Amino acid sequence: MVPQRVTLITIGAIDLAELRAFYQKLGWSEPEMSSDQYAVFKTAGVLLSLFPLKELETDSGVQIHKTKDTYQAVTLAINVNTPEEVDAVIDHIRKIGGKILREPSAAFWGGRTAYFADIENNMWEVAWNPDSVFDEKGAMLAF
């Protein structure tokens, strides 16, 4: 049986130093496991890793076609506790050079949502869902 959990998300970085700096500007800290070769950020539920794209290609044995001008087919999400937090997060993203793809607005499902891209066009959603349930560490349990 395969354990039903996500423990690590890795983004292949075109420019590791530049992408690392973007996530540091979010206010996210790196644990000691980070190094000059990769960056790791602890989040409430999983670890987010930034790994040089060329090394990811070598490690996986798969050629990855990625440029800073194209969006990837994966969307990462940050779910927040209040509708106002969606706006505050997007304001911060704007200030540090992220690209706002969709301004905060009411969602058809009853929440509030917005989208941004980091400096390498990895797409993120920021959302508030009135039905979200978080544990004491901030990990989402249900929505």
Side-chain angles (χ1 to χ4, degrees):
M1 175 182 272
V2 177
Q4 189 170 333
R5 62 179 172 229
V6 177
T7 56
L8 175 70
I9 296 171
T10 298
I11 294 175
I14 295 168
D15 183 329
L16 178 61
E18 184 179 45
L19 193 57
R20 168 185 258 150
F22 177 86
Y23 285 91
Q24 289 171 337
K25 289 177 188 174
L26 290 178
W28 294 8
S29 60
E30 296 178 62
E32 290 182 16
M33 66 186 82
S34 280
S35 72
D36 292 340
Q37 288 78 39
Y38 59 89
V40 177
F41 297 92
K42 286 186 178 179
T43 70
V46 300
L47 295 174
L48 175 67
S49 171
L50 307 179
F51 192 62
L53 184 61
K54 292 296 181 194
E55 292 184 40
L56 184 58
E57 287 180 324
T58 300
D59 193 45
S60 68
V62 175
Q63 187 175 10
I64 301 168
H65 301 283
K66 176 181 177 180
T67 71
K68 288 185 178 183
D69 297 325
T70 58
Y71 293 101
Q72 305 311 305
V74 173
T75 301
L76 306 167
I78 301 169
N79 285 76
V80 296
N81 295 309
T82 67
E84 295 79 18
E85 246 183 301
V86 174
D87 297 66
V89 168
I90 292 299
D91 286 344
H92 184 75
I93 299 299
R94 190 183 330 276
K95 289 176 186 170
I96 66 167
K99 184 188 305 179
I100 308 308
L101 304 174
R102 176 181 167 186
E103 292 291 339
S105 61
F108 71 90
W109 41 265
R112 186 160 183 80
T113 189
Y115 284 83
F116 74 91
D118 68 21
I119 57 174
E120 290 193 1
N121 274 336
N122 297 293
M123 195 171 1
W124 287 81
E125 177 187 20
V126 181
W128 168 75
N129 184 324
D131 298 322
S132 292
V133 178
F134 299 95
D135 71 10
E136 66 281 352
K137 294 180 181 179
M140 181 180 265
L141 302 175
F143 64 92

